[in-house]
Amino acid sequence: MTQADNMKGSKTIAVHWREEEKLYPPTRFIGQAYMTDPAVLERFSEKHFPECYNDYAELLDWFQYWHTTLDDSNPPFFKWFVGGKLNACYNCVDRHLEKQRNKTAFYFVPEPEGEPIEAWTYQMLYRRVNEVAAMLRDFCGLKRGDCVTLHLPMTMELPITMLACARLGVIHSEVFGGFSGKACADRIVDSASRVLITMDAYNRGGKLNDHKQKADIAIKAAAERGAKVDKVLVWRRYPGKYGSATPMVEGRDFFADEVLKDYRRQQVEPEVMDANDTLFIMYSSGTTGKPKGAQHCTGGYMAYVAGTSKYIQDIHPEDVYWCMADIGWITGHSYIVYGPLALGASSVLYEGAPNVPDAERPWRIAEALGVNIFHTSPTAIRGLRRAGSEGPAKYDYHFKHMTTVGEPIEPEVWRWYWEVVGKREAVIVDTWWQTENGGFLCTTVPGIHPMKPGSAGPGAPGIYPVIYDESGKEIPPGSGIAGNICIRNPWPGRMLTIWGDDERFVNVYYSRYIDPKSKGWRGWPYFAADGAVQAADGYYRILGRLDDVINVAGHRLGTKELESACLTVAEVAEAAVVPVPDEVKGVLPEVYVALHPGIEADERIAQKVEAAIIQDIGPIARPRRIWIVPDMPKTRSGKIMRRVLSALSASKDPGDVATLANPEIVETIRSLVQD
Ligand code: WTA
């Protein structure tokens, strides 16, 4: 059964998986793990909710303690640790100085293998973050509550800029570096940022990529929609050496490394933030074209990522932890930057692609740095697997713990990860969660639960999932019947709301299953928009998105966003994007376009469509194929039947098409696609 099958939108999702055999965590892992006593889980049972989460909040330093753990008087606008005051940057940097000033906070690994790895101690990070905070405050005029857009690649400047913002109480909105200027513009407009922080160029895929050019596109596009950016800070990948072909705009663009010289040795007091003040916005794709800004708070979010980094990632002070993801996604925010640093860990930041110069690069990095916790996505694992199984054994590294995140992992791929990458020495957690959630929702607790390939596991401590059918009836727990997974209770890592759109927040995540008679948090299950089944042992297996979101390589792309990019091509009249299974990336988008009457199908049009998608969204959305079809299969009310197209792309039976307005088109498209 593939993810694509699950997206057909049929009422019940058929599941044909067999039960997988469980594996037990290595005893060596259990011997050192933070959480090993099943009795601990009792502390996180419903009887102790919400106070159980005080354990997570206690991991942080507070300027002032909270008086109320959870305020649920205005659901679903839940507030955690009310009355508490803290600063995220202080918790990630300052508080570690006393005991471990000289410990490495980040290892920065440049993509070019000849360039030296940089070890940034907490002391060095402290100095630089303070200087950057002073620059943002005094040169850019940013202050508490302002929002700033970052469009930064994977270099040290990204976490430094984020932490500097957090120090000032400035809300950062980081746009994934691989996104286009146009995608960046959408996010500048929505967040009303006046300042953009970017970089001239970065290494990825074996070359230095021009990045600054996207800033110019972004600013122009944002201005056309009334959002004016008046300052652009441009970090240089190699300070003093400008690596972009685009000219700097006088009076608007400034080299950050140059301006920073005026702020040398400056210190900035961390702002005292309320627990429910916003720390950052992270955009994610929704079912409409407009991206949703998940607005994350300071106290609850920091508590949740610190708690899960400690108990699920099991990061101890002596560990070297590498999350091979991009900070431009939520995984990187929570599990490269905020969670590990809150614990005072040493975190690896790798600039480039895993296969540069060859697919053994990750193992060389692990060996060189003594990485013992490794965290990545099924897409990366599939890619490394395709390159062969000989690599890991050649290198002297030993993982105690590995994570998979972002998409469902096939049991075969899971087993390869366990045997080859982990050398059967590492425990694996398959963590299911979302941008909106801040941190893990379903996962095994690695020192307690056995692992089951392909299953995320039970709810994380304090998380109570439930599966509903379409009509809102609870599917019997453990029945193996598929339905819509929801979380019954609030948890501290959940976003506060969608930036600027409370109504959409309620509609998208809550309206589906509200019990109007309920009081407080009960009766407000969070709707995750994923299909799932729960096996008799209580483990959840995630089937994929129920909505029109395509999960490519663990990155969510809204179907609508892709379709609207296709429609920017003048010849295109209609577009439909469907997910097709792909061996490496899990799922890839496949595009169908119908042209305006009188226009002949032509390879050049397909090329234009591809270019439009890359320009509007980025190369990550590059479709597998673009089919130019004479018409779309449609319902009588004129809705495009994506389900039919998706079946044709996957060489499957499209099912009953007799009720379509134009059933004959299905055969035409089939002969085009399948011949
Ligand atoms: C999917 C990424 C199966 C899921 C942290 C979810 C997963 C979407 C898993 C969120 C997993 C994430 N197993 N599916 N372990 N983790 N997903 O917002 O469909 O980029 O809704 O957050 O990825 O993607 P997002």
Side-chain angles (χ1 to χ4, degrees):
M1 174 110 198
T2 65
Q3 204 177 357
D5 291 322
N6 292 308
M7 293 198 208
K8 284 184 184 174
S10 58
K11 285 239 155 96
T12 24
I13 304 167
V15 181
H16 310 292
W17 280 314
R18 64 182 170 90
E19 250 325 271
E20 294 290 333
E21 215 175 299
K22 284 187 173 159
L23 282 98
Y24 284 82
T27 44
R28 224 166 112 199
F29 176 80
I30 298 174
Q32 59 82 64
Y34 275 127
M35 221 184 232
T36 52
D37 182 358
V40 176
L41 298 178
E42 162 64 19
R43 276 222 312 276
F44 285 89
S45 69
E46 206 164 334
K47 203 166 73 201
H48 300 294
F49 181 85
E51 276 71 29
C52 55
Y53 281 125
N54 289 344
D55 283 13
Y56 283 10
E58 298 279 2
L59 296 172
L60 305 173
D61 279 7
W62 295 78
F63 298 132
Q64 182 180 306
Y65 271 106
W66 58 97
H67 52 71
T68 306
T69 300
L70 171 66
D71 172 2
D72 64 348
S73 58
N74 180 28
F77 298 95
F78 305 115
K79 290 198 163 84
W80 285 88
F81 311 119
V82 186
K85 293 191 189 300
L86 77 167
N87 181 282
C89 176
Y90 179 87
N91 272 283
C92 289
V93 184
D94 304 44
R95 68 167 177 153
H96 303 310
L97 294 181
E98 198 187 327
K99 294 217 175 79
Q100 51 176 53
R101 185 179 292 277
N102 295 321
K103 179 177 172 179
T104 301
F106 280 114
Y107 290 102
F108 171 61
V109 183
E111 189 185 74
E113 211 166 5
E115 289 183 24
I117 293 175
E118 293 171 19
W120 281 71
T121 63
Y122 277 92
Q123 167 69 18
M124 289 159 72
L125 192 61
Y126 172 79
R127 283 278 169 227
R128 184 58 60 83
V129 166
N130 270 278
E131 292 169 356
V132 173
M135 171 171 73
L136 298 183
R137 183 189 62 192
D138 301 340
F139 184 75
C140 300
L142 289 167
K143 54 179 194 318
R144 183 184 178 125
D146 290 347
C147 182
V148 52
T149 298
L150 321 184
H151 193 197
L152 290 170
M154 282 289 282
T155 61
M156 274 307 294
E157 286 70 18
L158 175 48
I160 287 169
T161 309
M162 286 164 63
L163 291 163
C165 289
R167 195 166 190 85
L168 297 169
V170 169
I171 301 166
H172 58 75
S173 164
E174 154 71 3
V175 179
F176 168 55
F179 268 154
S180 66
K182 162 75 174 39
C184 183
D186 293 343
R187 288 149 179 83
I188 290 173
V189 171
D190 191 72
S191 62
S193 300
R194 281 189 313 104
V195 175
L196 172 67
I197 305 180
T198 186
M199 187 166 250
D200 61 340
Y202 62 96
N203 296 297
R204 184 148 182 118
K207 60 179 197 299
L208 191 66
N209 301 273
D210 192 331
H211 189 60
K212 159 66 166 59
Q213 58 176 7
K214 295 184 193 165
D216 297 273
I217 297 169
I219 289 165
K220 184 157 171 280
E224 280 162 11
R225 290 155 63 189
K228 188 167 177 309
V229 170
D230 38 50
K231 222 166 229 160
V232 183
L233 280 186
V234 183
W235 289 105
R236 279 179 290 192
R237 174 63 183 82
Y238 300 97
K241 217 169 99 194
Y242 187 45
S244 165
T246 324
M248 295 286 278
V249 175
E250 172 114 31
R252 187 196 74 182
D253 302 351
F254 301 89
F255 289 128
D257 55 290
E258 222 160 80
V259 179
L260 194 66
K261 291 182 183 148
D262 298 336
Y263 298 89
R264 192 163 286 158
R265 300 181 51 234
Q266 293 234 1
Q267 263 161 296
V268 175
E269 277 302 300
E271 280 285 309
V272 176
M273 305 302 287
D274 283 332
N276 288 285
D277 279 340
T278 304
L279 177 60
F280 67 86
I281 309 173
M282 165 66 59
Y283 283 91
S284 95
S285 299
T287 44
T288 68
K290 193 168 174 258
K292 297 180 286 202
Q295 185 180 333
H296 283 283
C297 70
T298 310
Y301 172 82
M302 286 301 295
Y304 200 67
V305 297
T308 48
S309 292
K310 177 161 181 176
Y311 297 115
I312 307 299
Q313 296 292 292
D314 203 61
I315 309 176
H316 291 244
E318 60 280 11
D319 292 332
V320 179
Y321 167 84
W322 182 12
C323 173
M324 197 176 74
D326 198 293
I327 298 176
W329 306 107
I330 193 70
T331 299
H333 273 49
S334 298
Y335 298 113
I336 298 178
V337 183
Y338 287 117
L341 290 203
L343 298 181
S346 299
S347 181
V348 178
L349 198 165
Y350 173 51
E351 178 179 25
N355 59 350
V356 174
D358 57 70
E360 292 180 11
R361 183 73 189 279
W363 324 131
R364 285 197 290 278
I365 294 171
E367 182 184 76
L369 298 177
V371 172
N372 66 340
I373 308 181
F374 186 65
H375 184 151
T376 195
S377 64
T379 291
I381 302 168
R382 289 185 211 108
L384 293 165
R385 178 173 179 244
R386 199 156 70 167
S389 295
E390 304 76 44
K394 286 194 226 159
Y395 295 91
D396 178 24
Y397 71 79
H398 297 277
F399 296 152
K400 71 166 192 180
H401 181 295
M402 303 194 297
T403 301
T404 161
V405 61
E407 354 150 32
I409 184 164
E410 301 79 2
E412 310 81 81
V413 177
W414 190 101
R415 277 188 282 271
W416 185 83
Y417 196 34
W418 156 257
E419 273 171 32
V420 178
V421 177
K423 307 175 179 177
R424 294 176 169 264
E425 299 168 332
V427 71
I428 297 181
V429 290
D430 178 346
T431 59
W432 169 72
W433 59 295
Q434 309 173 304
T435 304
E436 297 86 337
N437 310 152
F440 308 144
L441 290 181
C442 281
T443 172
T444 48
V445 176
I448 297 179
H449 299 119
M451 309 167 264
K452 188 156 84 173
S455 289
I463 301 288
Y464 320 127
V466 58
I467 301 179
Y468 291 117
D469 70 12
E470 291 293 315
S471 70
K473 259 206 355 258
E474 184 174 343
I475 287 180
S479 61
I481 298 172
N484 302 338
I485 188 165
C486 296
I487 308 298
R488 279 199 295 118
N489 61 309
W491 67 98
R494 195 209 65 180
M495 63 176 165
L496 296 169
T497 183
I498 293 178
W499 180 255
D501 204 342
D502 286 349
E503 200 181 315
R504 191 171 175 204
F505 171 66
V506 179
N507 282 338
V508 173
Y509 303 101
Y510 289 94
S511 60
R512 187 87 179 248
Y513 293 122
I514 295 170
D515 172 3
K517 296 188 299 298
S518 67
K519 280 227 168 54
W521 62 265
R522 284 166 213 280
W524 288 81
Y526 168 88
F527 174 69
D530 274 327
V533 291
Q534 190 189 27
D537 57 13
Y539 281 33
Y540 292 92
R541 187 159 185 170
I542 306 299
L543 305 169
R545 307 286 306 173
L546 298 164
D547 55 20
D548 285 337
V549 174
I550 300 181
N551 191 335
V552 182
H555 300 152
R556 273 158 74 177
L557 302 171
T559 314
K560 286 284 182 302
E561 279 178 284
L562 274 82
E563 290 172 1
S564 51
C566 300
L567 292 176
T568 62
V569 175
E571 293 87 346
V572 173
E574 284 178 307
V577 175
V578 298
V580 288
D582 179 80
E583 205 190 308
V584 171
K585 302 217 160 143
V587 170
L588 279 180
E590 191 149 294
V591 173
Y592 288 83
V593 290
L595 306 180
H596 289 294
I599 297 181
E600 286 290 317
D602 177 339
E603 185 50 33
R604 277 196 316 243
I605 299 175
Q607 283 161 7
K608 276 205 239 173
V609 169
E610 176 169 314
I613 290 175
I614 290 167
Q615 191 200 310
D616 279 11
I617 294 135
I620 192 158
R622 189 192 305 275
R624 185 177 76 157
R625 292 294 300 260
I626 296 167
W627 301 107
I628 300 178
V629 293
D631 197 1
M632 298 285 177
K634 287 194 187 124
T635 63
R636 284 171 208 267
S637 63
K639 280 209 188 87
I640 299 177
M641 290 296 282
R642 290 184 183 73
R643 173 175 68 78
V644 172
L645 295 173
S646 153
L648 293 175
S649 280
S651 302
K652 299 249 167 71
D653 177 12
D656 182 15
V657 296
T659 56
L660 294 184
N662 51 351
E664 70 290 343
I665 198 74
V666 177
E667 229 3 85
T668 317
I669 299 177
R670 186 210 302 277
S671 55
L672 186 74
V673 172
Q674 294 180 1
D675 282 351

